[in-house]
Amino acid sequence: MSKTPIGRIIIENAYIAPVVGEEIANGHLVIEHGRIVSLGAGRAPISGDRAERIDAAGCLVTPGMVNTHHHLYQWATQGLYQDATLFEWLTGLYSTWARIDAEVTYGAAAAGLGWLALTGTTTSTDHHYVFPSGRGDLFEAEVRAAAELGIRFHPCRGSMDRGQSDGGLPPDEVVERTDEILANTAETIDKYHDPSFDSMLRVAVAPCSPFSVSETLMRESAVLARDKGVRLHTHLAETLDEEHHCIEQMGCTPVEYMDKIGWLGDDVWFAHAVHLHDKDIRRFAETGSGSAHCPSSNARLGAGIARVKDLLAAGAPVGLGVDGTASSELTSMAGEMRQAMLFQRAVHGPTALTARQALEIGTLGGARNLGRHTEIGSLEPGKLADIAIWRVDGFRSAITDPVCTLVFGPTPPLARLLVGGRTVVENDELRTVSQDAVAAAGVNARKRLLREEV
Ligand SMILES: [Zn+2]
């Protein structure tokens, strides 16, 4: 593990795509004490004495990816129910997930976060909502995995309190009592949430979905989050099955339901938001409600294609998410930029989403979802040095536009990934933790949860 203090770092000879401001074909970027202090054309106009110099010739420098939807524990259940709809997939997996414990959670989080870092992600959320009693401290386990890796982490305290006996989808054995959820969520925020500018850990409140959570818990979660000054997250409008369920059980569509219970606002972001009506998109824009677009997962489950072009045109915040790996196996954030761009074009034509727009939703759009757009998501002086340095040389240099190489093509190799100026990945290898150990922890999590021989 690197113990070197983070001083001055100078990145030179790079193509820089800062997301905000002009791109620089051959430029430099200077980092001091974990923050960007300057960037510009040519060589850095300051002394390199005692600085670490990174020669980024043949590389594209972008902000690190910001992943705004995930279920890290699903690393242990990848590749199952390969041809199922969302509701079939959920009902098939709930009984397996009910066996989860802290050891499974730790191993899956270590591997899942390591994979995200290796594919360019510097900040990730996680939405953990399965907390069977007596299985250890699951939240602490994933926080520990993120801290060891050195990724900026926004774990959500998820929850389910509406089991089958109350008309919900999950079996009663995986839901918790409403009062216990609210008490534990408040404790979790008090224990872990750090609101500071360069925070490595912020907690969000995230009841799972309208079909697994009571109206009381949805309302009380919003009250709690706003009282504590943290953000709100949930799944919404993922499938038409969900819309039918909401109309039948609540008498309105999913977005109407959110509006009714005070869940629209600029402190909320929703996973998926695939099946939106025109008036829903207007309400998202009016209220600043964000969405985490997860194109691979939505396609894998046959859920549909979110109206990203229309949301962006209306001015609503949009970020990207890989979603849990049980519904988007081994997915990378760079890959999601490509999927998002291709899917919008497949529906709306070749101008529907540009490479630069895809890069923006994968970085700054995600930062906005997490309420961190003044701190991360673009390369600007004063922002945190969360930076991906992609190799776009060799075969990839046949394309003259490096942003096109990144978004149109498969995920490029990573020369370096910096989180707050600290090197987490170098030449496609994790540097803060043992890559082999993290990969093995993910396999052990699967064996333990699926009761294979460990
Ligand atoms: Zn999800």
Side-chain angles (χ1 to χ4, degrees):
M1 180 171 308
S2 169
K3 292 279 193 300
T4 314
I6 300 159
R8 177 182 288 173
I9 302 170
I10 300 173
I11 301 168
E12 288 183 306
N13 306 317
Y15 188 103
I16 302 173
V19 173
V20 172
E22 293 291 312
E23 293 178 11
I24 304 164
N26 183 1
H28 68 270
L29 191 148
V30 180
I31 298 161
E32 285 181 4
H33 307 298
R35 297 193 189 184
I36 298 165
V37 293
S38 65
L39 71 165
R43 307 273 297 192
I46 55 170
S47 161
D49 290 354
R50 293 195 301 275
E52 180 186 2
R53 284 184 173 274
I54 299 174
D55 180 0
C59 294
L60 166 66
V61 175
T62 70
M65 304 283 110
V66 180
N67 174 36
T68 63
H69 190 60
H70 208 329
H71 309 287
L72 287 165
Y73 72 90
Q74 291 180 10
W75 190 269
T77 56
Q78 296 184 75
L80 307 176
Y81 299 93
Q82 293 178 16
D83 308 313
T85 66
L86 174 70
F87 278 18
E88 291 164 356
W89 176 91
L90 279 171
T91 47
L93 284 164
Y94 278 137
S95 58
T96 302
W97 294 339
R99 296 198 297 267
I100 198 167
D101 62 12
E103 189 173 330
V104 170
T105 304
Y106 172 80
L113 290 169
W115 180 261
L116 284 180
L118 285 167
T119 51
T121 298
T122 49
T123 297
S124 182
T125 189
D126 185 49
H127 187 181
H128 192 102
Y129 53 83
V130 186
F131 290 93
S133 63
R135 307 292 172 75
D137 190 340
L138 275 54
F139 200 88
E140 184 277 338
E142 63 170 344
V143 164
R144 179 159 35 94
E148 288 169 356
L149 179 65
I151 195 169
R152 218 174 286 286
F153 197 36
H154 283 231
C156 301
R157 203 306 184 178
S159 53
M160 300 190 291
D161 72 340
R162 188 160 165 254
Q164 283 166 357
S165 59
D166 293 321
L169 192 70
D172 292 347
E173 59 176 326
V174 294
V175 306
E176 299 171 273
R177 277 180 34 197
T178 313
D179 55 347
E180 289 175 353
I181 290 167
L182 290 165
N184 182 263
T185 304
E187 275 171 34
T188 301
I189 297 166
D190 292 344
K191 184 172 180 186
Y192 293 107
H193 182 72
D194 172 8
S196 67
F197 184 89
D198 53 1
S199 172
M200 292 297 289
L201 199 155
R202 289 197 191 160
V203 178
V205 178
C208 187
S209 63
F211 53 84
S212 60
V213 173
S214 70
E215 183 174 327
T216 302
L217 180 56
M218 292 299 298
R219 287 182 184 275
E220 292 298 318
S221 292
V223 169
L224 173 66
R226 286 166 181 153
D227 178 52
K228 298 279 188 189
V230 304
R231 299 180 76 76
L232 282 165
H233 181 51
T234 193
H235 293 94
L236 196 74
E238 183 173 357
T239 64
L240 286 173
D241 284 345
E242 178 187 329
E243 173 142 324
H244 298 150
H245 178 95
C246 279
I247 289 170
E248 198 175 284
Q249 300 255 340
M250 293 96 167
C252 58
T253 68
V255 176
E256 287 170 346
Y257 176 55
M258 291 294 111
D259 215 352
K260 187 180 101 179
I261 61 174
W263 257 76
L264 295 185
D266 62 4
D267 57 349
V268 183
W269 86 104
F270 297 106
H272 306 300
V274 173
H275 296 281
L276 298 184
H277 303 275
D278 289 347
K279 64 180 185 331
D280 300 335
I281 289 175
R282 284 197 298 276
R283 286 298 289 147
F284 273 35
E286 284 164 8
T287 58
S289 305
S291 51
H293 177 42
C294 306
S296 291
S297 171
N298 297 153
R300 198 252 204 212
L301 295 167
I305 298 174
R307 296 177 62 182
V308 171
K309 174 179 178 287
D310 297 333
L311 284 162
L312 291 173
V318 178
L320 291 178
V322 296
D323 203 1
T325 40
S327 65
S328 61
E329 283 77 358
L330 297 171
T331 301
S332 79
M333 277 293 292
E336 291 307 89
M337 291 195 293
R338 183 193 204 192
Q339 301 283 54
M341 183 187 70
L342 294 178
F343 285 5
Q344 292 304 300
R345 290 176 177 216
V347 177
H348 300 291
T351 61
L353 197 72
T354 68
R356 267 87 190 163
Q357 284 178 302
L359 177 61
E360 182 171 347
I361 61 176
T363 54
L364 192 59
R368 195 172 166 194
N369 271 351
L370 301 183
R372 298 203 71 168
H373 46 290
T374 61
E375 300 146 332
I376 58 171
S378 60
L379 304 179
E380 298 177 83
K383 280 197 159 182
L384 298 169
D386 289 8
I387 296 170
I389 305 178
W390 310 92
R391 293 222 73 93
V392 290
D393 51 1
F395 281 99
R396 289 179 165 81
S397 61
I399 303 171
T400 55
D401 174 6
V403 177
C404 173
T405 307
L406 170 65
V407 180
F408 280 62
T411 304
L414 260 187
R416 197 77 81 103
L417 188 79
L418 302 173
V419 180
R422 182 186 186 204
T423 295
V424 173
V425 178
E426 187 172 1
N427 296 329
D428 279 335
E429 283 281 333
L430 295 173
R431 289 290 181 236
T432 46
V433 292
S434 158
Q435 187 156 316
D436 288 345
V438 158
V443 174
N444 284 336
R446 186 202 78 216
K447 289 179 174 175
R448 184 172 172 87
L449 187 64
L450 300 187
R451 292 178 171 160
E452 298 169 19
E453 206 166 301
V454 179

